[in-house]
Amino acid sequence: MDVKIEESWKKRLEVEFEKPYFKQLVSFVREEYRTAVVYPPGKQIFRAFEVCPFEQVRVVILGQDPYHGPGQAHGLCFSVNDSVKMPPSLINIFREIQADLGKPMPPTGNLERWARQGVLLLNATLTVRASSPGSHQNKGWEVFTDSVIQRISDEKNNVVFMLWGAYAQKKGQIIDRQRHLVLQAAHPSPYSASNGFFGCRHFSRANAYLKSKGLGEIDW
């Protein structure tokens, strides 16, 4: 199956595209786009891979579902387009960066600038029906994104994984902690951020680790 995805990822994930689960997933997703409003726009489903090729990955931030409101999702977890109001979880992420690194709140919630520095902003599920969170879960996306995490874990060294909340932490159990730094905290959602996301200092800790490995810091 010819999937339009960035070449370095395509080379590593080709085997997934031929598996029965992925072919069933493609059929489901195509039908959803044909019959309902689905986010992100079809051309942005694999955007995270497009702006962050495999060789450049230094940090992985794991989300769950794309945003399900109009104009929000554009293929990068926690990120929104320039003109879109920042969702509460993203505001809390920037609040933690401000407390951790002293950086002011940015004018936009578009995290593409992180992605271009080697931050893979990966949702576990890459599509969602409008106004219906979780609607595309358990259709095959999670198997696909597990394979992405597995390949990073197996084929790279010294990657920082940020796992926020129980869902991401469970999904991250396959990561080789001898080869990579795994940072865990509560989810940045307003419902849980005060339970350990605020004060986690993941951004300075990631930079300290990357610097210690000679890999250069991320400009958060």
Side-chain angles (χ1 to χ4, degrees), residues 1 19-30 139-140:
M1 182 177 291
K19 291 179 180 177
Y21 87 85
F22 195 86
K23 293 178 180 181
Q24 290 169 7
L25 171 64
V26 168
S27 297
F28 167 77
V29 169
R30 280 181 178 153
K139 302 294 183 182

Side-chain angles (χ1 to χ4, degrees), residues 195-214:
N195 296 331
F197 179 76
F198 291 138
C200 71
R201 304 193 68 229
H202 279 188
F203 304 95
S204 61
R205 289 169 67 188
N207 276 355
Y209 177 81
L210 292 170
K211 190 176 180 181
S212 77
K213 301 297 181 182

Side-chain angles (χ1 to χ4, degrees), residues 18-74:
E18 298 307 321
K19 291 179 180 177
Y21 87 85
F22 195 86
K23 293 178 180 181
Q24 290 169 7
L25 171 64
V26 168
S27 297
F28 167 77
V29 169
R30 280 181 178 153
E31 184 65 11
E32 284 285 284
Y33 274 93
R34 192 181 69 79
T35 58
V37 177
V38 177
Y39 300 126
K43 289 184 178 176
Q44 294 181 334
I45 293 173
F46 295 115
R47 182 82 178 138
F49 303 94
E50 188 179 317
V51 290
C52 186
F54 184 86
E55 291 80 5
Q56 294 177 20
V57 175
R58 293 188 285 159
V59 178
V60 178
I61 297 179
L62 196 56
Q64 190 164 357
D65 256 9
Y67 294 123
H68 53 86
Q72 291 180 308
H74 65 138

Side-chain angles (χ1 to χ4, degrees), residues 119-157:
V119 181
L120 181 66
L121 296 162
L122 181 67
N123 275 315
T125 302
L126 299 188
T127 54
V128 69
R129 194 184 275 220
S131 306
S132 187
S135 50
H136 286 189
Q137 289 178 7
N138 303 315
K139 302 294 183 182
W141 278 131
E142 296 91 342
V143 181
F144 173 71
T145 52
D146 277 354
S147 73
V148 172
I149 294 165
Q150 190 74 66
R151 277 164 179 73
I152 296 170
S153 179
D154 291 349
E155 295 183 34
K156 296 185 74 75
N157 291 303

Side-chain angles (χ1 to χ4, degrees), residues 167-181:
Y167 181 90
Q169 288 160 22
K170 185 177 180 186
K171 193 171 178 71
Q173 287 174 353
I174 58 176
I175 299 162
D176 184 346
R177 282 155 168 78
Q178 302 300 312
R179 298 173 67 153
H180 307 285
L181 177 64

